[in-house]
Amino acid sequence: MGESRVLSRAEALQLEPGWRHACHVLLCAPCPGRLRGRVPLRHAVLMQMRFDGLLGFPGGFVEPRDGSLEAGLSRELREELGPGAAALSLAEGDYLGARCAETPRRLVAHFYAKRLSLEQLRALENGAPRAEEHGLEVLGLVRVPLHTLRDGVRGLPTFLSNRFAGCAREQLLEALRVLRLVPEAELRRADAASRKRL
Ligand SMILES: O=c1[nH]cnc2c1ncn2[C@H]1C[C@H](O)[C@@H](COP(=O)(O)OP(=O)(O)O)O1
């Protein structure tokens, strides 16, 4: 995805038919653990390693037969995370925002977030290896490290210096800020530190 711009759901749905729509979701749960007994993990946030070596969120293209954005997203989640994803019941209320880009082709990326319990999130992680797309388009789920270690580099900054699909990096930063999963100043520092390594 080239340079993307933010637009509202209503604006996105009014775009001409030449635009394709994709929906992805950030799934997260409170995570009380401490790394090495010291560093608070705060939350478990799921992303996935894709077939193309890029990191992205679960989800994908919405097809005309899906009938709605949320139905398309739910179908993609069942394919990528397995039947356990059916229980997620994503709705318009879980919508976080949209971004669109003209290149490499006209794409609107709709983004959702869903807060789960740690047990629900673990059940999804455990069920994912049995999903239809496991080992094909999805090579595995990963948890995003939300902490930054004392060197100011390892943890979230290093994770952010990976390569991401479409606007997934922007979506991740925006969601971590809006959902208050990482304090804003820490997030800014992690973003800045990661850009030095890109
Ligand atoms: O996590 C993502 N956030 C934003 N855009 C993404 C993300 N992952 C992929 N993409 C882009 C890349 C593609 O142009 C479309 C659809 O991708 P994908 O998820 O691979 O779709 P299918 O599973 O093939 O339906 O969005």
Side-chain angles (χ1 to χ4, degrees):
M1 200 171 189
E3 193 75 9
S4 65
R5 74 172 172 91
V6 171
L7 73 174
S8 70
R9 179 186 172 103
E11 284 167 336
L13 292 176
Q14 279 164 15
L15 289 169
E16 319 146 22
W19 287 82
R20 287 200 77 183
H21 294 255
C23 290
H24 296 89
V25 64
L26 176 145
L27 300 167
C28 65
C31 185
R34 282 179 182 260
L35 175 67
R36 298 170 181 166
R38 188 171 45 81
V39 183
L41 295 175
R42 303 179 177 135
H43 300 273
V45 171
L46 294 185
M47 290 191 81
Q48 56 193 22
M49 175 52 70
R50 297 158 40 95
F51 64 97
D52 50 13
L54 302 175
L55 288 162
F57 290 98
F61 283 118
V62 177
E63 305 296 343
R65 67 183 155 95
D66 289 320
S68 71
L69 296 177
E70 289 75 25
L73 177 56
S74 300
R75 175 186 51 73
E76 283 286 342
L77 294 183
R78 285 193 301 278
E79 290 170 10
E80 294 185 352
L81 301 177
L88 288 175
S89 62
L90 279 145
E92 208 175 314
D94 302 312
Y95 195 81
L96 274 194
R99 286 177 173 268
C100 70
E102 297 260 4
T103 56
R105 56 189 164 175
R106 292 176 150 193
L107 175 73
V108 187
H110 300 270
F111 195 49
Y112 295 75
K114 187 92 181 169
R115 290 183 191 266
L116 306 174
S117 67
L118 192 54
E119 291 66 32
Q120 288 172 312
L121 185 134
R122 281 191 179 133
L124 283 176
E125 287 177 321
N126 292 336
R130 290 187 294 281
E132 197 181 315
E133 288 297 341
H134 182 78
L136 298 170
E137 294 211 5
V138 181
L139 304 182
L141 289 175
V142 295
R143 289 193 190 186
V144 179
L146 300 187
H147 53 268
T148 300
L149 298 184
R150 282 186 187 143
D151 61 9
V153 174
R154 285 178 300 154
L156 183 57
T158 299
F159 185 85
L160 290 172
S161 51
N162 279 295
R163 292 194 61 190
F164 292 83
C167 56
R169 188 179 187 281
E170 289 87 342
Q171 290 173 330
L172 173 63
L173 286 170
E174 180 70 0
L176 295 181
R177 189 181 62 78
V178 170
L179 302 175
R180 297 176 191 270
L181 301 183
V182 175
E184 196 152 348
E186 202 175 315
L187 200 54
R188 268 201 306 273
R189 278 197 298 274
D191 185 21
S194 74
R195 287 178 187 281
K196 290 186 190 151
R197 295 165 55 89
L198 284 176

